[in-house]
Structures are given as C-alpha cells and as structure tokens.
Amino acid sequence: MAGSAHLRELGEFLRHRRGELTPAQVGLPERGHTQRRVQGLRREEVAQFAAISTDYYVRIEQGRLAPSQPVLDALVRELRLDGDQRTYVEGLVDQAARTGHRKAPRRSARPKLHPHLARLLGQLTDTPAIVFGPRLDILAWNPLAAALLCDFAAVPEAERNCVRTVFTDPVMREIYAEWEDVARTCVEVLRMEAGTNPADPALTALVGELSVADQQFRFWWAEHRVAQQDFGSKRIAHPVVGDLTLDWDTFRYAGAPEQQLVLWSAEPGTPDAERLSDLARRTVPAP
C-alpha cells in the first residue's frame, strides 16, 4: 500500500489544503508570520493540532503512509475540510487499502452504453438527456440534448468528453452564461471522480492534453480541489430559443456503476419551460 497512487494523491491534496490555511484561521499568534518560509501552515503545526508526530504527518504527505481513521478524522478537522473533501480523502484511503501493492484494475477506455440506458434515451423526447461514463466521457445523448448544448455526433468518439468540450469548444464559452464557474466545477468533479484511480492512463492523457491546451485548466487542476455534484442549475444562452435556466439531475445506474444519466428540466409554467418546449418542438429525432 505504501507509495500507491492513491496515497500520493492524498499527500498532495493535504499539502494543498495545508497551504491554504493561515495561522490566524487556526488561532496561532500573528507575530513572526512575516518570516515564514512556507505558505499556510507548517507540517509540524498540523501534526501538533492533530496530536501526531511530525514524522508521522510528513510520511502521510509524502504518500508513504496511510493514516488510521482517528488520525484521518483529526486531519479533516484541523485542515477544515468540507463534506466533499472528506469524502475524497476517505475514498483515497479506502482505495489504497483495497488495492494494497496491487495495481489498480485497468478501466476500459470507453465502456459500452448499457442497453437499458439506451432504451431510456430513445423514450425521452421532451427532456434533454446525456449518459456520462468514467472521466465524464460522453457515452450517449438524445436529440434534444444535442440541440440544447452541442452536436456531439460531430465530435470524434474518442474525444467526446464533457471537460474537454467545455475547455476546447468555443461555443461552450458562449452557451454557458457563467462559463468560468461551469469550467472550474468540471475540473473539481473530474478530480473527485479520478480519486478511484488516480493512475488511470486515459485520465493522465486527458489531463495532460488539457493542461497544454488551456492555462486555466492547468491552474485549476493544480489546486487539487474536489466537488461532488449530483444536481444543480445552469444558465444557457441558446442561439435559437434565447436565454433559459435549467435544472439538471444525475441518476447513477446500479446496473452499470460507471455510467450516469443526466437529465435537464425546467419548472413547469415558467418561461424557461416554454423555451425548452419550443426547442423540443423544433428538434426532429434522428430516424
């Protein structure tokens, strides 16, 4: 287990969160802080607050040691980790324990769409729907989703990925009224999803590609922030039906755990619902 990809990611994640805390936030005296050589808290300060030795904490940050549950609880508390961050670090420790010295199982690059989800897509004509796979790869969609967001069929199959599309398709910067918030959240969700297999070759390739292609992606990925979002809302500046705000919800299919169905909807009776209905009327399902 020592030195596993999960523990290395855990160490990097904790180091970044330590660097974000100021001494004042944890009740340390202000004097002498101008002479600090590190950003945020020192390792020995975190260790002291968590009631562990500095050497123990150093080995955790170096990815050489998995913390016990009581120690992890203390680090979550002292580093002020939120709910999503706690889920992430606990998942990394759990995955490290499961894999041990064994290599993480290799994921299929792009799993085949589950037939039940394919059937649902064919039946959903008034609701935009997309099926995501690992790494937020876009596995399938219905015609209304394409009309709402993007002609996914025009994108080569190997390049159909939500994060890649948001960062590399100029149309996305026009459609999403708060593009920066959407893009940053995509990075955080991808980091959270990647926690199950940080050494995934396809993930490494995607991150490398986008880090070269976009400076903002590179900066945000380096922050090691995570988010777990199963619902929300987005404002869309649609070129045909105009501006509308839609809610989206994620449904994880037990029959294919790595595939999730995302549905978009609007509050009935609102202008947003009328604009979505207008778009549905204009959309002709593919034969």
Side-chain angles (χ1 to χ4, degrees):
M1 178 167 61
S4 74
H6 298 94
L7 294 186
R8 290 193 296 273
E9 171 59 23
L10 173 67
E12 281 290 306
F13 184 82
L14 296 178
R15 182 174 65 82
H16 279 79
R17 303 292 77 78
R18 172 172 63 86
E20 292 175 342
L21 285 176
T22 65
Q25 285 178 292
V26 296
L28 290 174
E30 293 292 338
R31 62 182 181 277
H33 293 161
T34 56
Q35 281 73 43
R36 282 179 170 260
R37 296 182 178 178
V38 297
Q39 182 179 358
L41 300 182
R42 299 186 179 100
R43 286 171 168 175
E44 55 266 30
E45 290 168 340
V46 175
Q48 180 180 357
F49 286 133
I52 58 178
S53 71
T54 300
D55 178 66
Y56 190 111
Y57 181 71
V58 168
R59 284 187 287 162
I60 293 173
E61 270 202 8
Q62 291 176 340
R64 297 163 48 207
L65 178 68
S68 65
Q69 188 61 51
V71 169
L72 189 61
D73 290 340
L75 292 176
V76 167
R77 180 180 66 250
E78 301 305 333
L79 292 175
R80 312 295 200 267
L81 302 189
D82 62 26
D84 286 348
Q85 292 170 335
R86 179 176 189 125
T87 298
Y88 186 65
V89 296
E90 288 181 340
L92 289 171
V93 173
D94 181 62
Q95 288 291 330
R98 289 172 183 272
T99 58
H101 289 290
R102 297 179 289 105
K103 291 183 178 180
R106 187 178 182 88
R107 277 175 167 172
S108 58
R110 185 175 291 270
K112 185 177 180 181
L113 177 67
H114 195 283
H116 291 181
L117 292 177
R119 182 193 307 159
L120 280 175
L121 284 179
Q123 296 172 346
L124 292 168
T125 57
D126 297 327
T127 301
I130 304 175
V131 177
F132 290 108
R135 300 166 296 273
L136 299 181
D137 287 341
I138 299 169
L139 302 183
W141 60 93
N142 65 0
L144 188 52
L148 176 68
L149 298 173
C150 170
D151 182 8
F152 300 111
V155 180
E157 182 178 6
E159 298 178 11
R160 290 174 192 157
N161 177 274
C162 177
V163 185
R164 179 188 282 111
T165 300
V166 166
F167 277 93
T168 63
D169 188 343
V171 173
M172 293 294 103
R173 296 175 187 260
E174 299 175 5
I175 284 181
Y176 287 124
E178 293 99 4
W179 178 87
E180 187 168 315
D181 291 341
V182 171
R184 187 163 193 156
T185 299
C186 278
V187 175
E188 295 172 0
V189 171
L190 181 64
R191 172 73 73 175
M192 174 71 91
E193 198 272 344
T196 57
N197 190 357
D200 178 9
L203 170 69
T204 301
L206 176 64
V207 171
E209 172 196 338
L210 295 180
S211 295
V212 171
D214 192 281
Q215 182 179 1
Q216 286 174 293
F217 176 90
R218 182 167 64 252
F219 178 78
W220 290 334
W221 185 260
E223 287 184 323
H224 285 252
R225 295 187 180 277
V226 295
Q228 182 171 310
Q229 290 198 335
D230 293 323
F231 61 91
S233 63
K234 287 186 174 70
R235 286 201 303 130
I236 296 175
H238 198 274
V240 176
V241 297
D243 296 350
L244 65 168
T245 298
L246 298 179
D247 298 322
W248 59 270
D249 294 272
T250 299
F251 300 89
R252 302 182 187 277
Y253 183 53
E258 287 193 326
Q259 299 182 27
Q260 48 189 305
L261 176 67
V262 177
L263 304 179
W264 298 68
S265 63
E267 184 71 25
T270 63
D272 297 317
E274 178 53 39
R275 292 188 182 103
L276 183 58
S277 296
D278 183 18
L279 185 62
R281 288 190 293 269
R282 295 167 180 261
T283 303
V284 179

